[in-house]
Amino acid sequence: MEADDVILALAALAQCTRLDVFRLLVKHEPEGLPAGDIARELAVPHNTMSSHLGILSRAGLVRSERRSRSIIYRADLDRLREVVTFLLKDCCGGHPGVCAPLIDALAPCCSPKETLDG
């Protein structure tokens, strides 16, 4: 990942509605949401939402897929991982103890799904 790509991603998220959209899409992974549902959920006009989704898509943070008559939007978690990794790549100058609290905070927020066997 290049610095320009990270700047584009961070710039896309540096606007309240787009940040809300991205967080909503992360919450709805892996199913995603239709554009209309995103607009309704965040009380944003459809044409405005379309612009926001376009900016997030160009930044590589959101992917879209046509399903029948709907366009389903999903957060691109791989791209988010790349951005965060770029930011933290040289973290702590080789002193892992300094980064431990940050790494702990980035640990998955969801526990693994339990199997039917137990």
Side-chain angles (χ1 to χ4, degrees):
M1 172 151 281
E2 299 294 323
D4 287 345
D5 298 324
V6 174
I7 291 167
L8 185 63
L10 293 175
L13 294 172
Q15 195 278 340
C16 192
T17 301
R18 289 192 295 271
L19 182 60
D20 289 346
V21 168
F22 188 74
R23 293 187 73 209
L24 180 66
L25 291 174
V26 168
K27 182 179 173 182
H28 285 277
E29 274 298 307
E31 299 84 18
L33 286 173
D37 289 1
I38 299 168
R40 276 188 292 283
E41 177 80 21
L42 298 177
V44 174
H46 291 279
N47 59 338
T48 303
M49 182 55 64
S50 179
S51 295
H52 288 306
L53 289 167
I55 290 167
L56 290 167
S57 294
R58 285 188 293 282
L61 294 168
V62 169
R63 291 178 283 148
S64 61
E65 169 187 327
R66 181 168 289 283
R67 288 190 202 152
S68 184
R69 294 177 51 185
S70 295
I71 298 177
I72 306 300
Y73 287 88
R74 294 186 54 215
D76 190 332
L77 298 180
D78 288 334
R79 182 64 159 203
L80 176 62
R81 178 187 47 77
E82 291 172 355
V83 169
V84 172
T85 300
F86 179 91
L87 293 172
L88 300 177
K89 190 164 109 175
D90 300 319
C91 178
C92 312
H95 300 92
V98 175
C99 287
L102 177 59
I103 301 303
D104 290 343
L106 293 173
C109 60
C110 303
S111 59
K113 295 193 189 273
E114 294 186 27
T115 63
L116 294 175
D117 298 349

